[in-house]
Amino acid sequence: MADKPAIVLVHGFWGGAAHWAKVITELHRRGFGELHAVENPLTSLADDAERTRKMVRRIEGSADWSSSRRSPRTPTAICG
């Protein structure tokens, strides 16, 4: 699992972090160990973006989403 990236799941306006439960289960089954689902406050786009940034900062290592050279600790964001 160490060679796979950390994954941050971000829900849309009508969702919540719990909506990722089946996706998290499937990704874990496929060997992804570091999975995070952001629970955004849905108060404003700025608040949602800040909550997501805080989650990414909590992940150790590089959090440079624009990097083409990803380390196993570089998070991959999946938005739904």
Side-chain angles (χ1 to χ4, degrees):
M1 282 192 230
D3 61 334
K4 298 204 183 231
I7 296 178
V8 178
L9 300 158
V10 183
H11 64 81
F13 184 74
W14 296 109
H19 287 109
W20 291 108
K22 289 181 181 180
V23 174
I24 289 170
T25 300
E26 179 61 21
L27 288 170
H28 188 63
R29 188 186 71 74
R30 292 179 183 213
F32 291 89
E34 191 167 355
L35 305 165
H36 307 271
V38 178
E39 186 63 60
N40 281 323
L42 305 177
T43 51
S44 72
L45 179 58
D47 291 344
D48 290 356
E50 182 57 27
R51 179 73 56 90
T52 301
R53 278 195 284 290
K54 285 180 182 178
M55 174 67 76
V56 171
R57 283 188 209 118
R58 287 179 43 196
I59 300 170
E60 294 177 357
S62 174
D64 180 5
W65 291 15
S66 63
S67 174
S68 60
R69 291 178 23 210
R70 294 191 174 277
S71 75
R73 303 286 300 170
T74 301
T76 298
I78 300 174
C79 303

